[in-house]
Amino acid sequence: MEKNRIIEGMLRRRSIRAFRDEEPTREVIETVVRAGQQAPFAAQLGSLLLKRDREANPFGAPLLFTVCVDVHRMERVMAARRWRRVMCDLSTLLLGIQDAAYMAQNMVQAAESLGMGSCFLGAAPYAAARIVEEYGLPPRVFPLVQLAMGYPAEDPPVRPRYPIEFSLFEDRYSELDEAAVDRAMTAMDEGYLAQDYYRSRGAKIPLGEGREETFGDDDYSWTEHVSRKLGQWSEDPAELLRAFESCGFRLSEAAPDAG
Amino acid sequence: MEKNRIIEGMLRRRSIRAFRDEEPTREVIETVVRAGQQAPFAAQLGSLLLKRDREANPFGAPLLFTVCVDVHRMERVMAARRWRRVMCDLSTLLLGIQDAAYMAQNMVQAAESLGMGSCFLGAAPYAAARIVEEYGLPPRVFPLVQLAMGYPAEDPPVRPRYPIEFSLFEDRYSELDEAAVDRAMTAMDEGYLAQDYYRSRGAKIPLGEGREETFGDDDYSWTEHVSRKLGQWSEDPAELLRAFESCGFRLSEAAPDAG
């Protein structure tokens, strides 16, 4: 495979959840943010909240970024141009989530290149009301995801991924026969088992009532773990719809509640 | 600012919309895809369609990737583990869009590092039905965004971004007083005007009925352009909701229609 330092950096990347005492300088932080900003955008709909409080931050990370879809800022610009947003919230959010995510992923790789590590925390949308309060967010700023960052105090192995045949489909989507599914599952499960990932962190997800546990430390791995997440969690969209609404977004409404 | 080759690559990146004849090899393509796959994920919910057809691809690009949120593949894995997805479509999509976007942004930077350029095309969700047909997508694969890629036949300048004070908020969201908004608008507008961006490509968005044009080549720039997009386009979410539904996703429903 054709490689270089940039691609090697991407292939080496893994989440970091333990951090050294060293504090990233303001210069380092701004470098990471600038690299993030330069990602492609639809309308620069991403913005960043930063908390430098190891006591409060997950994993005691020196930096906690909250990556937001920021339509408020866009509306300020539009108001100065005497425009009112008519694009519906759903379309606007679909663009904004991408703007924010491209920015965040550039930040992940920029941090790696500066010797730092990071870990995404996906629960931000479900904590939207608390985050709005904590950071004093105006309406139409949605906390999409958090990113803990700092200098790593651990050196975990790179985690496995699906085989490329399971991820890249030329011209036609593949039928994905049983054998292909099996190869993909084996790659993921054997990969995580070889790293003792779930056992070492006691990360097995308990089964709900009426389901009998049949997995032990020697076979509980990625496919069963992720299946339990999607098979047991978040059955009702009401919570997430409320989170969007608490940030001023109504996914099914035509006329945005723009100021 | 603390820099290195990786960050310099990000800061140099701009969309490319003209491509040389040279065809990326299979090795180059797989390298880009592998770098994409290694991005952080919630559940590996991103997959890729590839079309190598310059005649049909936008900008005559040798490569056109369609970046998908692929819940079908996850459900195949879950079925093999005898699980049925109960996580609602909205939550699943919110994770999946991020998985797909992080992958796509790694691909953008991996391509840059191999001497290629790329351009995101955001209209894929609105063309979902056509893409489903074209690639034979099974239910619950949603085309999020397309990425045209190849060796660049143009060398445009790097496009401007908001000042960092407009994008990074420590501890509290900034009030964004008029002066801050004005500085951000000036940075964007002067930046694009200096590059003759909109005039040279005839990209001015026409005004709807009843609105008088007051902008000319010397002052029509980014803030007015983006305001016209969000101020005139996509007033009704029904189209996008239908696109999700045509791919088997119902954003407001609790019980997913999982196989």
Side-chain angles (χ1 to χ4, degrees), chain B residues 91-106:
Chain B
S91 295
T92 308
L93 284 165
L94 191 61
L95 295 178
I97 291 171
Q98 291 177 75
D99 282 4
Y102 301 145
M103 175 174 70
Q105 183 55 23
N106 259 17

Side-chain angles (χ1 to χ4, degrees), chain A residues 80-238:
Chain A
R81 288 276 173 230
R82 281 183 276 183
W83 281 96
R84 189 179 172 285
R85 183 168 60 95
V86 297
M87 183 181 284
C88 66
D89 285 347
L90 185 61
S91 294
T92 308
L93 283 166
L94 192 61
L95 295 178
I97 291 171
Q98 291 177 77
D99 282 4
Y102 301 145
M103 175 174 70
Q105 184 54 24
N106 259 16
M107 292 170 65
V108 164
Q109 289 303 139
E112 295 284 322
S113 80
L114 295 167
M116 293 194 291
S118 64
C119 182
F120 275 119
L121 296 144
Y126 301 91
R130 183 184 59 69
I131 293 170
V132 165
E133 175 71 23
E134 182 180 352
Y135 291 90
L137 301 186
R140 285 177 297 286
V141 180
F142 183 75
L144 175 66
V145 69
Q146 292 185 307
L147 184 60
M149 189 180 287
Y151 295 97
E154 61 172 357
D155 185 18
V158 174
R159 309 304 178 189
R161 292 296 188 275
Y162 284 143
I164 204 162
E165 62 161 345
F166 207 60
S167 297
L168 173 66
F169 308 111
E170 187 160 354
D171 296 325
R172 295 289 291 178
Y173 194 90
S174 162
E175 292 292 329
L176 299 180
D177 59 26
E178 294 301 321
V181 174
D182 196 59
R183 280 191 298 273
M185 293 177 70
T186 300
M188 292 306 297
D189 287 340
E190 294 298 322
Y192 273 99
L193 281 170
Q195 297 179 4
D196 200 23
Y197 184 85
Y198 294 101
R199 193 206 57 77
S200 65
R201 54 186 67 201
K204 190 194 256 187
I205 298 174
L207 289 169
E209 222 172 305
R211 281 192 179 257
E212 195 191 347
E213 182 62 79
T214 59
F215 283 86
D217 288 343
D218 59 339
D219 60 355
Y220 182 89
S221 193
W222 188 82
T223 61
E224 177 66 17
H225 187 76
V226 177
S227 292
R228 290 184 185 190
K229 281 189 185 173
L230 277 74
Q232 297 193 131
W233 293 4
S234 280
E235 304 185 30
D236 191 330

Side-chain angles (χ1 to χ4, degrees), chain A residues 21-53:
Chain A
D21 287 342
E22 193 178 348
E23 295 293 328
T25 63
R26 185 77 201 172
E27 190 185 9
V28 162
I29 294 168
E30 293 203 353
T31 301
V32 168
V33 171
R34 274 292 297 123
Q37 284 187 284
Q38 208 63 40
F41 64 72
Q44 283 192 92
L45 293 171
S47 72
L48 296 164
L49 311 172
L50 171 62
K51 185 76 79 180
R52 287 194 279 186
D53 179 355

Side-chain angles (χ1 to χ4, degrees), chain A residues 162 166 181 227 230, chain B residues 45 70-87 89 92 139-141 248-249 256-259:
Chain A
Y162 284 143
F166 207 60
V181 174
S227 292
L230 277 74
Chain B
L45 293 171
D70 190 337
V71 180
H72 166 76
R73 200 178 46 172
M74 185 80 250
E75 288 173 354
R76 290 291 307 275
V77 168
M78 291 178 70
R81 288 275 173 231
R82 282 183 275 182
W83 282 96
R84 192 180 169 284
R85 183 169 60 97
V86 298
M87 183 180 284
D89 285 347
T92 308
R140 285 176 299 285
V141 179
F249 293 110
D257 182 26

